[in-house]
Amino acid sequence: MSSEHSPPTDAAGATAAERPVFQPKVAVAAVFGTTVEWYDFALYGTAAALVFNKLYFPDADPLVGTTLAFGTFAIGFLARPLGGAYFGEKGDTEGRKKVLVTTLLLMGVATAAIGLLPTYAQIGVAAPIALTVLRFVQGFAAGGEKTGALIILFENAPPKWRGLLSSLPAIGTGTGTLLSTGAFALMTGLLSDEAFLSWGWRVPFLASAFLTLFGLWVRASLEETAEFQQAGVLKRDTAARPLRQRFRESRFVEAWTRYPREMIIVICAGAAENAGYYIFGTFSVAYVEDRGQPTTALLTGISIAAAVKLFSVPAFGALSDRVGRRPVSIGGALVLLLAAWPFFALIDGGQPWATWLALLVTLGVGQAAILGSQPAFFAELFDTKVRFSAVGVANNVGTVLTGGLAPLIAAGLLLWFDHSVLGVVAFMALMSALTAGTVALAPETRPVETPAESEGGTVGAHAPSRTGPGDPPDTSAPPGTSPRRGPRPSHPRTGSGARSWKD
């Protein structure tokens, strides 16, 4: 076999198929780092409702202050696509490891700085302005973090275990959210209201500094992925080039030029998962309060569902390795579609067990199925050269459009339909249909193992390597593929080494 088609190897000379199924160092570095970053990111959401409306927007009406505080919370979501584009370019040209270290450091510094930030009473209008800037930095870092963790696990995983290992960063996001909620619950439980608003709220933010230092130590020991090294991607010298030329030659533009269909797929495919999380896990709290019911059972159920997802998400990722990415993702979307109306009917009943059941079905099963199957699905749609940029930008744009705006849309629909959930259910059905339809029209990307490969070769195929004009040949294509056109279709309709449901 020529060196042009040699499978990527790591420092020890092992191919992806020969690497161990579970690599503790890579998994720990990715998951722990994501845990720390999402602990930081989620802290702000809780503090916006409990602290920032009082200490940084004190002159406004209480409801207006809360709205302004949540407005700065939304800034973090708007910054994520920008972070995805910036860190995607860095990850595709300078390496995945460097981005993972940078995003963790940036998030940690911004979060600790919030913990030290003077209040409005101390420095006036500079306080909310600085708070908004720091939230933007958090969102900017988050835009590159989850994608980077996903990709470094994906590129270090044996192809037949990519679904499972690529889903592990979701454990970090869930754990980080639980830790942030627990940290605030601990401080509010131990301190009086006066002490909490005086200094207690700062403790969870300052604790991030210690978590960040440990996370940096863990991630510093990582090596660059063999797949990135094999691709031979070199950083372009952009110092003397005009900004317009640098933009035209960016990985962001290249991804949209070579993979326009796949970019749209990534933006739309996560609609049900994004909207489901924010409608069932966030908007539902406002809905229960609007009904005049206590929120204790609902908040407890959200925490239970988050704990269940620590196991159900990787389980669905592993299932996608066996039956394919599409069936698992579509199945999750259909669960959310069918459960939308019963969800609100169950929580209207006011019975804790019914509320918990509703949350377990929607978040613990429906959303978890999509969240577990799509990370590998997204990464497999693109080749190594643009993978970080493509997934980072498209996934974050989709999160903002179909997730970040979901609570606002749902609240507006609740008012429009005179406090009836009919509009909210219709919106959730639309998002679920968008996911199911998009994924159904997309190719199945799960690698297919042939008898020859199972005897000693790489398993499956990477995304088609569509070399752009003037670029050197892509030498990272696996055996049985064309460097320009990608894998030879194994099925006349699915292509790209894909497997149809009937195979």
Side-chain angles (χ1 to χ4, degrees):
M1 183 179 298
S2 67
S3 60
E4 180 182 4
H5 289 156
S6 299
T9 60
D10 59 18
T15 66
E18 294 167 343
R19 295 181 198 137
V21 170
F22 183 73
Q23 301 177 74
K25 182 172 71 172
V26 176
V28 169
V31 174
F32 184 83
T34 305
T35 298
V36 174
E37 289 226 29
W38 248 253
Y39 167 83
D40 295 347
F41 198 69
L43 277 177
Y44 194 103
T46 305
L50 298 177
V51 178
F52 296 155
N53 58 331
K54 300 179 180 69
L55 299 183
Y56 292 91
F57 304 96
D59 292 340
D61 175 88
L63 181 58
V64 175
T66 301
T67 302
L68 292 173
F70 275 114
T72 61
F73 174 76
I75 291 293
F77 281 95
L78 297 178
R80 286 175 64 172
L82 298 177
Y86 176 81
F87 288 115
E89 181 75 16
K90 293 293 183 181
D92 283 331
T93 57
E94 300 179 21
R96 285 62 162 119
K97 173 187 173 179
K98 183 176 181 179
V99 168
L100 285 175
V101 172
T102 303
T103 56
L104 181 58
L105 178 62
L106 196 60
M107 180 71 85
V109 169
T111 303
I114 292 175
L116 296 172
L117 187 66
T119 64
Y120 184 92
Q122 295 170 315
I123 61 173
V125 71
I129 292 175
L131 184 66
T132 302
V133 171
L134 291 172
R135 179 57 177 176
F136 181 90
V137 173
Q138 281 190 322
F140 191 76
E145 161 60 28
K146 191 175 179 181
T147 303
L150 180 167
I151 287 176
I152 202 165
L153 281 169
F154 173 85
E155 293 182 348
N156 276 285
K160 65 180 180 179
W161 290 100
R162 281 178 177 164
L164 169 61
L165 296 181
S166 298
S167 70
L168 294 183
I171 295 179
T173 60
T175 304
T177 302
L178 286 173
L179 288 176
S180 67
T181 303
F184 266 107
L186 178 64
M187 298 308 297
T188 55
L190 293 177
L191 302 175
S192 65
D193 291 346
E194 182 180 350
F196 176 75
L197 286 176
S198 175
W199 59 269
W201 70 270
R202 298 180 183 274
V203 174
F205 284 91
L206 296 176
S208 170
F210 300 98
L211 296 174
T212 299
L213 289 175
F214 183 75
L216 289 172
W217 175 74
V218 172
R219 285 190 169 179
S221 64
L222 288 176
E223 297 180 2
E224 191 52 73
T225 70
E227 197 165 315
F228 177 82
Q229 296 179 46
Q230 181 72 11
V233 180
L234 298 177
K235 181 181 178 182
R236 294 174 175 141
D237 183 11
T238 60
R241 298 185 182 184
L243 181 61
R244 181 178 298 181
Q245 182 179 356
R246 289 161 59 183
F247 177 75
R248 288 199 307 265
E249 295 176 350
S250 67
R251 294 294 191 266
F252 169 79
V253 172
E254 186 174 349
W256 276 106
T257 302
R258 294 168 53 199
Y259 294 99
R261 178 171 176 264
E262 288 80 358
M263 294 288 282
I264 297 299
I265 288 173
V266 175
I267 290 174
C268 297
E273 183 266 317
N274 292 322
Y277 176 80
Y278 288 104
I279 286 179
F280 300 128
T282 301
F283 166 76
S284 60
V285 179
Y287 173 78
V288 169
E289 290 180 335
D290 182 69
R291 286 289 193 269
Q293 299 176 358
T295 60
T296 304
L298 181 67
L299 294 174
T300 302
I302 292 173
S303 297
I304 293 173
V308 169
K309 283 167 60 179
L310 300 181
F311 303 94
S312 62
V313 169
F316 282 116
L319 181 62
S320 76
D321 285 323
R322 299 185 61 85
V323 303
R325 319 300 184 207
R326 294 195 309 174
V328 178
S329 188
I330 292 174
L334 294 178
V335 168
L336 293 178
L337 188 154
L338 297 174
W341 182 269
F343 173 87
F344 290 102
L346 286 172
I347 64 175
D348 278 343
Q351 296 295 325
W353 68 266
T355 299
W356 299 342
L357 176 63
L359 288 164
L360 286 174
V361 171
T362 53
L363 298 180
V365 176
Q367 193 227 357
I370 304 173
L371 192 58
S373 60
Q374 286 193 349
F377 173 57
F378 291 164
E380 287 164 342
L381 288 170
F382 307 96
D383 67 14
T384 309
K385 186 178 180 183
V386 300
R387 181 176 293 138
F388 205 133
S389 297
V391 177
V393 171
N395 193 23
N396 280 298
V397 168
T399 298
V400 172
L401 294 179
T402 63
L405 297 177
L408 180 62
I409 293 173
L413 289 171
L414 191 66
L415 291 175
W416 183 270
F417 283 85
D418 194 23
H419 298 270
S420 169
V421 295
L422 181 61
V424 179
V425 170
F427 173 70
M428 191 64 237
L430 178 63
M431 294 296 99
S432 299
L434 180 59
T435 289
T438 300
V439 176
L441 294 174
E444 175 58 73
T445 61
R446 179 173 69 96
V448 179
E449 183 177 5
T450 66
E453 289 166 340
S454 64
E455 291 175 3
T458 57
V459 180
H462 300 261
S465 180
R466 305 174 188 176
T467 307
D471 288 330
D474 185 353
T475 61
S476 63
T481 68
S482 163
R484 180 174 291 275
R485 293 183 176 270
R488 299 188 185 106
S490 62
H491 189 278
R493 296 188 65 182
T494 56
S496 297
R499 172 179 296 177
S500 74
W501 293 353
K502 297 179 181 180
D503 289 347

